[in-house]
């Protein structure tokens, strides 16, 4: 049984702590939904931040079992949160939910519980939303329960995925509508998919929202890695309100409206999403001519997420070639050693959290954590490029 009798009490404790965090730090505001659908139901929400699972639960006065990505070793506080809220874990194999995850969702629904999914995938780095998973409609059809649509607005500006701190500005959650089984039975798969997409695929960038912070550009190098002036990679760094290039001296101010103002560079780039699009274009043009060693970063840790007891983490230099992902480290007994993975054996290499990569193979999942300025995103993009895919 997944839905335990003590969960209403533990979820209440979790929501109390969550409201303190949401109001005092995140500046998040939401209203509770006025009427709970009778019986089991599915909640669909758009992804905007790395704390979405916590925030969406604040709108509901009853247990909501969120589907979360198992992509990191759980620290004591996370384990406590898991104990209180019993999330449904899945490996990071976006954009599909695993068969084990779907079976667990069906189990919770069968027991009368409420499941929350984020069908647009992980939180985006910019404001542009990801596409709705094609698996969503088929899952809804198989569950045959009411579907609650709940949306987050302003999260990409208030708590950007690449940042460390909160920006002062609007961040709200909103109940949109409930679609009953009788209603979506009359819709085609395309009509249902378009309805959910219109509701959940939110882009706040055109609303002119303002987010204030003296450190608003810091850590942008976690997602931006190609300079639009000298067109070299891995030379960008950020400080305060600016992002600059160590190679050519390019400098851009990141404004309170989330726009770039370049001080010494002529470029049409004005947003994080446009800079990411530029990087995709750059990668298409330069990937074949890049050296066999694509990227290298020091101060990286790797360990297995699945093994119990856990292996000791390895600390060293991460090297990505066209064939392998390697970690070179110092062994007290054997000197310098190198371990790694053939990229042909890797099912997914996904950026998670802020400076982490989740590497998934048929044998398990590993977490790769870098230094504070580590750009996990460029490794994932190179992996996709090697598979013939170019995209954000």
């Amino acid at each position: 049984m997944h839905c335990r009798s003590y969960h209403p009490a533990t979820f209440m404790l979790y929501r109390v702590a969550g409201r303190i965090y949401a109001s005092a730090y995140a500046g998040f505001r939401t209203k509770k939904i006025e009427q709970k659908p009778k019986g089991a139901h599915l909640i669909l929400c758009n992804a905007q931040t790395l704390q979405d699972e916590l925030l969406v639960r604040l709108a509901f006065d009853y247990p909501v079992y969120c589907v979360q990505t198992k992509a990191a070793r759980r620290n004591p506080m996370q384990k406590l949160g898991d104990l209180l809220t019993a999330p449904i874990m899945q490996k990071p194999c976006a954009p599909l939910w695993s068969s084990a995850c779907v079976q667990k969702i069906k189990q919770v629904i069968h027991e009368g519980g409420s499941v929350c999914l984020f069908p647009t995938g992980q939180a985006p780095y910019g404001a542009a939303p990801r596409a709705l998973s094609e698996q969503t409609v088929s899952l809804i059809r198989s569950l045959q329960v009411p579907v609650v649509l709940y949306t987050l607005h302003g999260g990409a500006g208030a708590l950007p995925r690449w940042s460390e701190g909160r920006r002062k500005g609007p961040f709200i959650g909103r109940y949109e509508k409930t679609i009953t089984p009788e209603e979506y039975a009359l819709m085609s798969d395309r009509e249902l998919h378009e309805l959910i997409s219109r509701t959940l695929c939110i882009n706040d960038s055109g609303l002119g929202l303002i987010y204030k912070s003296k450190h608003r550009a810091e850590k942008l190098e976690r997602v931006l890695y190609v300079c639009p002036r000298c067109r070299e990679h891995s030379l960008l760094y950020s400080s305060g309100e600016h992002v600059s290039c160590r190679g050519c001296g390019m400098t851009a101010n990141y404004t309170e409206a989330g726009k770039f103002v370049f001080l010494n560079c002529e470029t049409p780039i004005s947003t994080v999403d446009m800079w990411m699009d530029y990087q995709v274009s750059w990668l298409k043009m330069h990937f074949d001519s890049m050296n066999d060693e694509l990227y290298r970063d020091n101060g990286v840790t790797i360990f297995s997420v699945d093994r119990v007891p856990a292996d000791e983490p390895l600390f060293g230099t991460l090297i990505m070639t066209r064939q392998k992902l390697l970690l070179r480290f110092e062994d007290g007994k054997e000197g310098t050693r190198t371990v790694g993975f053939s990229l042909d054996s890797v099912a997914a290499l996904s950026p998670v959290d802020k400076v982490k990569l989740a590497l998934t193979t048929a044998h398990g999942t590993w977490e790769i954590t870098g230094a504070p300025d580590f750009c996990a995103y460029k490794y994932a993009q190179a992996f996709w490029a090697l598979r013939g895919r170019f995209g954000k």
Side-chain angles (χ1 to χ4, degrees):
M1 298 290 289
H2 193 89
C3 304
R4 306 288 184 174
S5 59
Y6 56 80
H7 278 166
T10 60
F11 269 82
M12 180 187 68
L13 293 173
Y14 184 85
R15 285 193 297 272
V16 170
R19 288 191 187 100
I20 295 173
Y21 166 83
S23 60
Y25 175 73
F28 179 71
R29 301 290 183 270
T30 185
K31 292 182 179 179
K32 299 174 185 175
I33 65 168
E34 297 178 358
Q35 287 187 325
K36 172 189 174 182
K38 295 181 180 179
H41 56 279
L42 182 68
I43 301 167
L44 300 182
C45 181
N46 61 310
Q48 286 207 335
T49 77
L50 296 174
Q51 290 82 36
D52 291 343
E53 294 89 355
L54 165 64
L55 301 175
V56 72
R57 289 186 179 111
L58 301 182
F60 303 88
D61 279 334
Y62 48 87
V64 173
Y65 302 92
C66 291
V67 176
Q68 298 178 203
T69 301
K70 182 181 180 181
R73 181 183 292 180
R74 316 298 283 174
N75 63 40
M77 288 302 296
Q78 289 173 319
K79 289 180 179 179
L80 176 60
D82 294 347
L83 181 66
L84 294 176
T85 63
I88 300 171
M89 293 294 191
Q90 69 152 350
K91 291 185 178 181
C93 297
L96 300 177
W97 301 295
S98 66
S99 58
C101 176
V102 171
Q103 289 302 315
K104 184 65 71 173
I105 292 171
K106 291 181 177 179
Q107 177 190 345
V108 173
I109 293 295
H110 177 73
E111 294 172 4
S114 305
V115 176
C116 179
L117 282 176
F118 297 87
T120 56
Q122 294 189 61
Y125 284 103
R130 300 176 186 271
L132 188 76
S133 170
E134 295 293 337
Q135 193 181 11
T136 306
V137 171
S138 61
L139 180 62
I140 291 172
R141 299 283 192 202
S142 67
L143 295 177
Q144 286 296 302
V145 294
V147 177
V148 175
L149 301 184
Y150 180 84
T151 56
L152 299 171
H153 302 258
L159 292 172
R161 177 174 174 176
W162 41 264
S163 74
E164 288 295 343
R166 151 82 178 167
R167 282 93 169 109
K168 294 182 180 179
F171 185 16
I172 63 171
R174 187 163 64 206
Y175 163 73
E176 299 291 347
K177 64 179 72 177
T178 298
I179 312 172
T180 66
E182 294 77 18
E183 290 173 325
Y184 60 71
L186 301 176
M187 301 180 187
S188 67
D189 288 354
R190 180 178 179 180
E191 289 171 334
L192 181 56
H193 188 276
E194 288 180 350
L195 171 61
I196 299 172
S197 293
R198 286 197 303 270
T199 307
L200 297 188
C201 294
I202 294 168
N203 190 335
D204 298 318
S205 61
L207 301 180
L209 303 177
I210 299 297
Y211 295 90
K212 297 182 179 181
S213 171
K214 294 181 179 179
H215 311 283
R216 56 182 176 266
E218 291 183 0
K219 306 307 177 185
L220 267 167
E221 63 269 35
R222 291 174 175 173
V223 59
L224 306 180
Y225 63 94
V226 179
C227 174
R229 185 183 182 188
C230 65
R231 296 177 175 81
E232 295 294 332
H233 68 84
S234 306
L235 296 176
L236 297 179
Y237 69 98
S238 63
S239 177
E241 302 167 5
H242 298 84
V243 58
S244 304
C245 176
R246 292 187 177 90
C248 67
M250 179 280 302
T251 299
N253 179 36
Y254 189 59
T255 71
E256 294 177 348
K259 307 290 185 181
F260 288 108
V261 177
F262 288 84
L263 306 183
N264 53 2
C265 176
E266 294 292 333
T267 174
I269 294 172
S270 62
T271 65
V272 170
D273 288 297
M274 292 178 69
W275 202 321
M276 293 171 68
D277 288 336
Y278 168 77
Q279 291 177 161
V280 172
S281 299
W282 178 91
L283 198 61
K284 287 181 178 179
M285 294 179 60
H286 294 85
F287 190 73
D288 290 340
S289 62
M290 291 175 69
N291 296 331
D292 183 62
E293 181 182 304
L294 302 173
Y295 301 125
R296 174 188 290 254
D297 281 277
N298 299 320
V300 173
T301 303
I302 184 171
F303 54 79
S304 172
V305 174
D306 301 309
R307 296 183 185 178
V308 178
D311 293 337
E312 286 296 318
L314 299 177
F315 179 81
T317 299
L318 184 68
I319 304 169
M320 185 177 196
T321 71
R322 293 179 183 274
Q323 295 79 33
K324 296 181 179 181
L325 192 67
L326 307 168
L327 185 76
R328 187 165 295 162
F329 63 99
E330 294 296 326
D331 188 312
K333 297 180 180 179
E334 302 182 28
T336 302
R337 292 182 55 200
T338 302
V339 298
F341 301 84
S342 168
L343 292 178
D344 289 338
S345 69
V346 176
L349 188 64
S350 307
V352 294
D353 200 60
K354 300 180 188 299
V355 292
K356 295 179 181 178
L357 279 166
L359 186 149
T360 304
T361 72
H363 304 291
T365 299
W366 284 260
E367 178 188 295
I368 301 170
T369 304
D373 59 350
F374 179 66
C375 181
Y377 173 68
K378 71 180 181 184
Y379 284 87
Q381 271 208 310
F383 175 76
W384 299 333
L386 287 167
R387 295 293 171 90
R389 295 168 50 201
F390 291 89
K392 289 194 293 185

